Amino acid sequence: MQIDFAQAVTAEAKAQAAALARATSIKTDCRTRILAVGSEATQMNIAQAGIVFTAAVLDGAPRTVALAASGLRDGDLTLAQGWKAWVAAMQTECRRAIDSGEGPVWPDLPKGVADLAARF
């Protein structure tokens, strides 16, 4: 009887599989945390509102008219920028945790962002 060593699972293969599983778990956690604040549809709706607001302003509409046309309120654009920065920070932390082998330290959600998401 011959042993086929090509079929043997090496320590390196086990380590690679464990690293892949860990990375997948961290990525899933990051995505879940982001989507818990606002679904992909919510995020698209906020982005679209920003586009409508900007188009209205570029067309010469007063700020109040542009806000009304977009469904945004005063301060929402700042909140949307904060949300975008938070998502980028979440993704950066995700990559850092995977690369370093350490546990992720997720950044705090900026105040008011969850309320913005709930309206869209």
Side-chain angles (χ1 to χ4, degrees):
M1 177 172 154
Q2 288 187 327
I3 297 174
D4 182 2
F5 287 104
Q7 300 297 320
V9 177
T10 64
E12 181 181 340
K14 286 182 181 180
Q16 288 175 346
L20 178 61
R22 182 178 177 280
T24 299
S25 176
I26 291 171
K27 288 177 185 178
T28 299
D29 188 24
C30 181
R31 178 177 169 76
T32 299
R33 289 170 183 266
I34 292 168
L35 293 177
V37 176
S39 69
E40 290 172 341
T42 296
Q43 294 176 51
M44 287 187 289
N45 289 341
I46 292 170
Q48 183 65 31
I51 292 168
V52 170
F53 172 83
T54 301
V57 168
L58 290 174
D59 283 345
R63 180 177 176 80
T64 55
V65 172
L67 286 171
S70 66
L72 295 170
R73 299 177 186 164
D74 275 330
D76 281 353
L77 294 173
T78 300
L79 290 173
Q81 291 169 345
W83 189 355
K84 180 70 175 153
W86 175 74
V87 168
M90 290 288 289
Q91 293 166 336
T92 297
E93 179 56 19
C94 178
R95 287 187 290 276
R96 186 210 62 81
I98 291 168
D99 291 344
S100 71
E102 299 172 2
V105 180
W106 302 117
D108 292 332
L109 181 67
K111 183 179 178 182
V113 168
D115 294 334
L116 171 66
R119 287 191 287 118
F120 282 86

